[in-house]
Amino acid sequence: MNEPTQGTLQLPDYFMIGGYFILMLAIGAYFYRYMRRMKDYFSGSNTVPWWLSGISFYMTSFSVSAFVFYPSICYRYGWVGVTLLWVAVPATLFSVVFFAKRWRRARIDSPVEYLETRYNAFLRQVFAWQGIPVKMIDDGIKLFATGTFISICTGINIKYSIFGAGGIMLIYTFMGGLWAVMVTDFIQFVVLTVGLLVIFPLSIQRAGGFAQIFNNSPEGFFNMTAPEYGWTYVIPLIMLYSLAWSSINWALIQRYYCVPKERDALKVGWAVIALYIIGPPLMFSPAIAARQFIPELQDAGTIYPLLCTQLLPAGMLGLAIAAMFAATMSTLSGDYNVCASVLTNDVYRRLIRPSASQKELVTVGRLMTLLVGLVALGTAMILARWKAESMFRVMVTLFGVATAPVAVPMLLGLLSRRYTGRSAILGFLCGTAVGLLLFALSFREEALTFAGITWQPDKGAIFLGSFEVKLEIAMFLSTALFTYVVMELASLLAPATASELARAGALLERLETPIGDLPEDIEPETGSGVVMSPFRVAGVCVVIIGVMMLVLIPWMNSPMARFLDILLGLALLVVGALMSWGSKRSATTQPL
């Protein structure tokens, strides 16, 4: 058999990509029949296993842009690229210790639902309407990044890759709700892990081994930080992640409240921490190794696609492309579902049809999923049409500015009854105004000095004397501090009334009450006592991926690639078979 040329898509690559997409659609179609109530569609009826929710949390927390930005940092500066993603470890720890139990005990169907009970109905609607467009545009950016990555790898027109990935993830999320999102996230985790376990050893081998990499890398290449990304950048980044992952990243909050008990919510967080300790070195070490055999690359953002095209044989390249699709599809499908939950629960049911039936709410939920997905898809197409790399950077910075004014009121409301709805609104408005002002100043071409602070947009930083802080970090810290100070002052000048204190106290007491101790914790709507198990359907899918891997053996053009293909394919067969067997162990479980 003639060896196909690396770096171009061959029949085995199309086989892997097509098989992966068909599998995703099949999962969505399978779960369609189980979505009978709004809680089924948006929170899995709070029966999602912790391990599945943890893997979904991990997969939802990054997208293919992580394989553009962080590897470029690793290629240029070394290990600091891993450090920048490791900030997810303390950020997740923060959310687990302080908020995981509280989000589960809130007993909600959408992340902003509790705001009405804690503050007032107006703030609930403000945060819902503020968050939805931000999420949809952010999802469009992620789709655009996916299309860019796949276009570099394959030469396929960026619009086709955007439309294919966006359309497929929209269809399976539309059909199967949160259960389909969770199970597809697990399968995408499997595909991504297999892809990383292939490219990692191949890149180390190509670089000449670990000793060669360590000996020939520039001085300081394996330090935790670099001059361009020091601790003054890393520590505020941890703060930003901690706020975002505990409050405004709705899809991640959803992973805490979709599990059965609060101890399961804690397990979700601990599983994510473990995955984030192991994942970044495995993901980005190939970019560090690439310095040995891809020298003097001008556009470091293309390093990962170049690694895939240079190292992977036919079939394996298709697997890597599927893995990159997986990195974004898991994020977007989670966002589509949780945004639809806000539109359905906090807008439609709250304002338009309070008496809507469960069947009607599921139908509306599907329509809202379709709306969110189409807007994100349209945004990505606009970015692709106008080649808007600059727009990409502007939007990313703008989302960073918008984080704190929402996150601070949400988190303070979960911790203390002292803050009022008025203070939350004022903090949000003032923090947002400050953020927008700083964002507008970032377009200045000339430096601005005020009170000893020099604002230098051309260098992307501000200077306090000789102390430098990057603009995006300065914007986040300023908006967070301003929002908090305004809330404190407003609460001191206009303290909460007796009724407001009682209202907040009732919610905080609810957050201290374990699941199972309130009458509403007993599900009256199902009546069957049957809980769905994902083991069988996930196990079957893992077996199918294993079979697809083994089909590639004739196209493996090196002993190392052939060995990895056989080893990983057989491992998937065993794991999938064990998962399918595990679905039969409990008589009270309905296997999927």
Side-chain angles (χ1 to χ4, degrees), residues 15 99 207 214 242 405 423 441 458 475 490 500 509-510 518 531:
F15 168 74
F99 298 105
F214 280 105
S242 298
S423 70
L441 288 176
D458 58 326
M475 291 179 187
E500 288 174 324
E509 183 179 351
R510 178 186 180 89
L518 294 180
V531 177

Side-chain angles (χ1 to χ4, degrees), residues 239 243 404-405 408 427 430-431 434 474-489:
M239 297 169 61
L243 285 182
V408 171
C430 293
V434 169
M475 291 179 187
F476 162 68
L477 293 176
S478 300
T479 54
L481 180 61
F482 205 85
T483 303
Y484 173 72
V485 169
V486 170
M487 286 192 66
E488 283 288 347
L489 291 176

